[in-house]
């Protein structure tokens, strides 16, 4: 029997690796976050590649589910560039891919009501995101805009397809103008922060949360909304009870899994490492601290483990 935390309104199992859980064959599909679980944006975490290979050996259907604002194909290309074998995965479902599809098809009532003129908040240093094929007109002020499309936190998109770097403070001023006009926002990356080479980088979810506080309407196109889990289950051809999600964010990965009705494994050495008092990769978190942090985020992991290892 694997050790459990002290009784609360829920219980989670503490694991040292995934082998025992995986070999039960309880879960047909494994929905895997990438940043903070498989890699840090620069290189794979120790043991991540071999763990994927062992999961594949036992027949696990693996899908990347990520709040990346990039298209799914770009996500898979990046994983390959980092040394991961794309053939191990059924594919990827990213918030950026879902956003692109919904804006392109407009067969959803909410998206059908959006106009075509948007303020595009994008990336600069990390590379701007193309809006080709969406039929959108990029504008730079609230007076001309019909909605906000948030892919990044570094720049404002230009009508010629380029981007002008802009500080968070200046971006927030634009949001204030848009909120006064009651312009809706689509956020193509709901993460607040992400792990990048052990540091935390501010993500579009931070701007979206700010916009909601200003009274703005936000469409969250990724975790913790169950939209991304439904897409992953459809890709894998499984039901919720056959699935498990692995992630390092209590608010996005674990609470999202709770919302979707699937089991979850919380990786403690990701974005919550500092909050859990962890300074080294693979360091074991104190269970009472994990319990308290989970309660803070109103998230209930089924399992916890230090890292994505076998």
């Amino acid at each position: 029997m694997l050790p459990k935390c002290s009784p609360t309104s829920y219980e989670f199992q503490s694991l040292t690796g995934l082998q025992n859980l995986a070999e039960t064959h309880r879960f047909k599909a494994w929905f895997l976050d990438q940043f903070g679980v498989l890699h840090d944006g620069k290189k794979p975490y120790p043991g991540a590649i071999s763990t994927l290979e062992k999961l594949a050996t036992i027949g696990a259907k693996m899908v990347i589910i990520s709040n990346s604002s990039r298209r799914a194909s770009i996500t898979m290309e990046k994983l390959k560039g980092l040394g991961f074998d794309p053939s191990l995965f059924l594919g990827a479902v990213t918030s950026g891919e879902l956003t692109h599809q919904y804006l392109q098809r407009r067969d959803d009532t909410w998206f059908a009501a959006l106009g075509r003129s948007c303020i595009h908040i994008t990336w600069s240093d990390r590379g701007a995101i193309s809006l080709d094929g969406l039929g959108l007109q990029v504008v730079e002020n609230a007076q001309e805009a019909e909605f906000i499309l948030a892919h990044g936190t570094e720049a404002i998109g230009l009508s010629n397809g380029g981007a002008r770097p802009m500080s968070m403070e200046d971006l927030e001023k634009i949001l204030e103008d848009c909120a006064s006009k009651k312009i809706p926002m689509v956020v193509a990356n709901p993460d607040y922060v992400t792990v990048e080479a052990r540091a935390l980088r501010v993500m579009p979810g931070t701007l979206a949360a700010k916009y909601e506080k200003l009274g703005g309407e936000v469409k969250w196109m990724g975790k913790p909304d169950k939209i991304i889990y439904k897409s992953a289950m459809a890709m894998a051809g499984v039901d919720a009870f056959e699935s498990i999600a692995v992630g390092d964010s209590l608010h996005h990965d674990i609470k999202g899994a709770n919302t979707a009705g699937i089991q979850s494994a919380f990786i403690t050495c990701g974005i919550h490492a500092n909050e859990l008092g962890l300074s080294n990769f693979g360091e074991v978190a104190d269970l009472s601290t994990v319990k308290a942090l989970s309660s803070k985020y109103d998230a209930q992991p089924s399992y916890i483990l230090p890292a994505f290892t076998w």
Side-chain angles (χ1 to χ4, degrees):
M1 173 69 74
L2 295 165
K4 293 187 178 182
C5 68
S6 57
T8 62
S9 57
Y10 72 96
E11 295 183 347
F12 52 70
Q13 290 184 309
S14 178
L15 311 175
T16 56
L18 290 173
Q19 181 177 1
N20 289 345
L21 179 62
E23 290 180 348
T24 66
H25 296 276
R26 178 180 176 184
F27 304 108
K28 292 182 180 179
W30 292 66
F31 303 146
L32 309 175
D33 183 35
Q34 52 170 342
F35 289 90
V37 175
L38 301 181
H39 62 80
D40 66 359
K42 303 295 183 182
K43 62 183 186 301
Y45 286 121
I49 291 177
S50 62
T51 299
L52 290 171
E53 292 170 345
K54 288 169 182 173
L55 279 170
T57 299
I58 65 171
K61 296 180 177 181
M62 292 181 285
V63 178
I64 296 295
I65 56 168
S66 172
N67 276 354
S68 170
S69 48
R70 309 285 173 183
R71 301 289 302 275
S73 59
I74 295 175
T75 291
M76 297 308 292
E77 288 171 9
K78 178 168 185 176
L79 284 170
K80 183 178 181 179
L82 289 173
F84 294 93
D85 180 358
S87 70
L88 296 177
F89 308 99
L90 292 178
V93 181
T94 68
S95 51
E97 182 67 38
L98 290 174
T99 299
H100 188 93
Q101 291 178 5
Y102 273 72
L103 283 171
Q104 189 173 57
R105 294 196 309 259
R106 293 186 179 246
D107 53 3
D108 173 89
T109 303
W110 194 90
F111 279 89
L114 287 179
R116 295 286 176 176
S117 299
C118 73
I119 289 176
H120 186 209
I121 302 176
T122 184
W123 297 113
S124 175
D125 293 342
R126 294 167 68 94
I129 292 177
S130 172
L131 303 181
D132 288 350
L134 295 180
L136 299 177
Q137 178 186 2
V138 175
V139 298
E140 298 179 46
N141 59 75
Q143 286 67 41
E144 298 178 85
E146 294 172 293
F147 72 99
I148 308 162
L149 177 55
H151 275 114
T153 61
E154 295 176 339
I156 193 83
L158 304 176
S159 58
N160 63 7
R164 184 172 69 251
M166 190 169 286
S167 68
M168 285 290 287
E169 291 76 12
D170 287 339
L171 287 174
E172 288 178 356
K173 289 177 183 176
I174 292 175
L175 294 185
E176 290 172 2
D177 291 339
C178 291
S180 67
K181 195 184 171 188
K182 300 189 182 303
I183 297 171
M185 170 190 279
V186 179
V187 59
N189 181 335
D191 282 352
Y192 299 137
V193 294
T194 193
V195 176
E196 190 167 281
R198 297 291 293 176
L200 297 181
R201 180 185 284 265
V202 176
M203 291 286 111
T206 296
L207 287 174
K210 168 75 172 179
Y211 197 58
E212 283 191 331
K213 288 182 179 179
L214 291 170
E217 179 185 7
V218 175
K219 191 72 168 179
W220 298 83
M221 294 301 293
K223 300 175 285 187
D225 193 278
K226 58 187 175 183
I227 182 174
I228 199 165
Y229 298 92
K230 285 185 174 180
S231 294
M233 284 187 277
M235 180 179 287
V238 297
D239 292 321
F241 71 91
E242 301 171 299
S243 310
I244 184 169
V246 183
D248 69 318
S249 168
L250 286 167
H251 174 74
H252 295 98
D253 300 307
I254 307 307
K255 191 167 185 177
N258 295 161
T259 301
I262 69 177
Q263 300 286 294
S264 63
F266 171 44
I267 303 298
T268 55
C269 284
I271 65 168
H272 293 297
N274 289 338
E275 290 174 279
L276 293 169
L278 305 175
S279 55
N280 299 308
F281 178 83
E283 186 177 349
V284 177
D286 175 74
L287 293 183
S288 62
T289 305
V290 174
K291 183 180 70 172
L293 194 64
S294 298
S295 296
K296 173 184 174 182
Y297 286 94
D298 190 26
Q300 302 177 359
S302 312
Y303 308 90
I304 68 164
L305 67 162
F308 185 74
T309 56
W310 194 245

